[in-house]
Amino acid sequence: MDKLQKALGERICIARKRLGMTQKQLADLSGFPAHQIIHQIEKGTRDVKAWELAVLSKALRVDISELLADSE
């Protein structure tokens, strides 16, 4: 598991929870066929394509740069 991938997943999880949204709600809002995809992204076990990141950032109401920010 890539460290950056895991950090991105954690940021997505934090943003989702900040909105009080479930993984299923985020998946539905983002057009993903199953909530398991969100689970895999948040755990850092699935790569996120650029278009997916754009859709997720819009659904989560955050800028892509916030999700990609290097906090170290």
Side-chain angles (χ1 to χ4, degrees):
M1 175 172 13
D2 183 72
K3 187 177 177 182
L4 295 175
Q5 199 171 317
K6 183 167 174 54
L8 173 61
E10 288 172 358
R11 289 187 198 106
I12 290 171
C13 182
I14 290 167
R16 175 181 61 78
K17 289 180 178 178
R18 187 180 314 139
L19 294 174
M21 200 181 294
T22 65
Q23 290 179 343
K24 177 160 180 19
Q25 289 170 325
L26 180 55
D28 291 344
L29 190 61
S30 303
F32 290 103
H35 72 277
Q36 289 87 347
I37 294 172
I38 301 299
H39 175 76
Q40 293 168 349
I41 290 171
E42 289 183 357
K43 292 296 176 192
T45 59
R46 182 183 184 280
D47 287 332
V48 182
K49 297 171 182 70
W51 71 267
E52 293 173 332
L53 187 59
V55 169
L56 286 169
S57 71
K58 184 175 181 179
L60 294 168
R61 298 181 222 148
V62 297
D63 193 78
I64 290 176
S65 62
E66 185 179 326
L67 296 176
L68 294 174
D70 185 10
S71 60
E72 293 180 32

